[in-house]
Amino acid sequence: MSSQSPQIVTLPAPVRNQTYVTVAALDAGHLTLPERLFVTDADPEKRTTVPSMSFLIQHPSSTSSKTTNILFDLGLKRDFSGYRPAQQHHISQRQPTIVSPDAAESLQKGGLSPQDIDTVILSHVHWDHVGTPSDFPSATFIAGSGTLHLLAHGGGPLYPAELFNADELPVDRTRELPPVRPADAKYASAQQTPASLQWRPLAGFPAVIDFFSDGSVYIVDAPGHLYGHVNLLCRIGEDKWVYLGGDCCHDPRILTGEKGIAEYDDGKGGVRSVHVDTCEAARTVERVRRLMGEKKVVGEDGRDVQVEIVVAHDKVWRERNKERFFPGNL
């Protein structure tokens, strides 16, 4: 009987004077998820209160003492009162929620001011990831292509405009990533990131942006969950990386293959999942899964590489890694 050779994923080897970033987790609120809506073969009555984590990425300059501070996702808002009725109804189904500490509080407890944040990159703009943008008055916000259109007009019958706030992000400080697919261009904002930031394939992902152009932080197009959904791939050491998976899945057992993505009645005679495109979300999960430890991940120079994958709502990871929350790091 023949056996398949192990799948090999290749990540870029470090260059001379390679820049490495530090990554720290931040508590940014909790919400409660009914398991039956997220994973297959679920206990229909089980509900679990999970984190919605934010992450601080610190990028040292190679030419000065300046460190660029990035937040990836902002978790939950402190105050839900500004949400619209449809949003309030949705949030009522995710109770209990915990809103303290939020991302800003967690930063301050670690010794960093919210005003010190230079950039906020949002994986997507669901309510449990956008936090309180006004806490970060000096930050440029970066979101996937079409995000501002989504906030203003919604995204079809599964995600009507009533589930979003058009003024969620500071428009004068928000920049969208360039469209990945030609069909997305019609929804793109004129306020885009610099033209130097271009999508290119990397490590089995069709579209990735080298954010600092130095191989330290890559923005990964991670379609399926919501329009414009992105992940981050961060180089934290010579042979060590961290992959921040946002909502590519809501339970790490989907990544390991123990569970699948749940589908359920959409109330309109069909089925749906928590993703806007279930098939595309499954393809994203498979690409992320290739980075896991049981696969073969190597650098371009042939050395073995370690990639730690963390998704936003991984309760078990949070409980096991409390010392890696800011001011600690991964």
Side-chain angles (χ1 to χ4, degrees):
M1 182 174 64
S2 64
S3 60
Q4 291 183 335
S5 59
Q7 187 174 38
I8 297 177
V9 174
T10 302
L11 290 172
V15 298
R16 186 180 180 183
N17 299 321
Q18 176 66 57
T19 298
Y20 302 104
V21 297
T22 59
V23 179
L26 296 169
D27 273 323
H30 291 69
L31 69 162
T32 301
L33 303 180
E35 186 172 281
R36 64 181 177 82
L37 300 184
F38 294 90
V39 298
T40 53
D41 303 317
D43 178 342
E45 304 301 322
K46 185 175 181 180
R47 296 169 56 84
T48 304
T49 299
V50 301
S52 189
M53 291 181 283
S54 174
F55 295 87
L56 171 67
I57 297 96
Q58 295 188 287
H59 178 276
S61 170
S62 60
T63 58
S64 71
S65 60
K66 165 68 175 174
T67 294
T68 299
N69 296 312
I70 298 174
L71 285 185
F72 181 61
D73 279 345
L74 298 179
L76 277 66
K77 291 186 189 303
R78 291 184 300 278
D79 181 6
F80 294 158
S81 63
Y83 279 125
R84 303 165 76 177
Q87 294 170 307
Q88 297 280 7
H89 175 71
H90 177 80
I91 293 170
S92 72
Q93 299 174 329
R94 299 292 182 261
Q95 297 296 334
T97 56
I98 301 169
V99 298
S100 181
D102 63 5
E105 290 177 88
S106 292
L107 277 175
Q108 291 169 324
K109 287 180 179 180
L112 196 63
S113 167
Q115 294 187 355
D116 293 328
I117 298 302
D118 301 290
T119 304
V120 174
I121 301 175
L122 295 174
S123 65
H124 64 297
V125 289
H126 277 151
W127 69 280
D128 54 322
H129 291 260
V130 295
T132 308
S134 60
D135 285 343
F136 306 96
S138 304
T140 297
F141 285 73
I142 295 180
S145 180
T147 293
L148 295 177
H149 184 276
L150 175 67
L151 290 174
H153 304 286
L158 295 182
Y159 293 106
E162 291 77 15
L163 291 178
F164 301 96
N165 292 326
D167 61 352
E168 191 73 75
L169 301 179
V171 175
D172 61 326
R173 290 186 285 121
T174 297
R175 301 292 180 267
E176 290 190 358
L177 298 166
V180 179
R181 290 154 287 273
D184 298 337
K186 62 181 177 180
Y187 300 117
S189 169
Q191 300 185 83
Q192 292 190 13
T193 51
S196 59
L197 298 183
Q198 295 295 319
W199 298 105
R200 295 180 175 87
L202 181 84
F205 295 99
V208 171
I209 286 175
D210 185 350
F211 187 63
F212 288 103
S213 300
D214 64 3
S216 64
V217 176
Y218 295 92
I219 300 177
V220 181
D221 178 50
H225 179 57
L226 186 67
Y227 305 109
H229 185 255
V230 297
N231 294 171
L232 287 191
L233 177 63
C234 303
R235 189 195 295 265
I236 62 171
E238 189 173 12
D239 301 313
K240 292 185 177 181
W241 299 74
V242 172
Y243 188 92
L244 302 176
D247 277 3
C248 70
C249 65
H250 295 71
D251 190 306
R253 293 175 295 175
I254 295 175
L255 280 176
T256 62
E258 299 169 69
K259 297 284 187 178
I261 298 171
E263 293 186 300
Y264 52 92
D265 186 348
D266 67 358
K268 300 177 182 179
V271 294
R272 63 163 295 182
S273 75
V274 295
H275 304 291
V276 71
D277 187 329
T278 307
C279 292
E280 194 66 73
R283 284 190 284 269
T284 291
V285 166
E286 182 54 38
R287 292 181 187 119
V288 177
R289 184 180 289 144
R290 295 170 190 163
L291 299 176
M292 297 185 70
E294 65 267 21
K295 309 295 183 184
K296 184 70 171 175
V297 183
V298 299
E300 290 172 334
D301 52 5
R303 291 184 297 183
D304 288 353
V305 173
Q306 296 178 338
V307 183
E308 182 172 15
I309 300 170
V310 190
V311 292
H313 302 301
D314 191 340
K315 177 181 180 179
V316 174
W317 188 93
R318 178 186 178 275
E319 292 174 347
R320 292 178 177 174
N321 293 277
K322 291 184 179 179
E323 76 284 357
R324 301 169 85 189
F325 280 68
F326 189 61
N329 56 69
L330 276 68

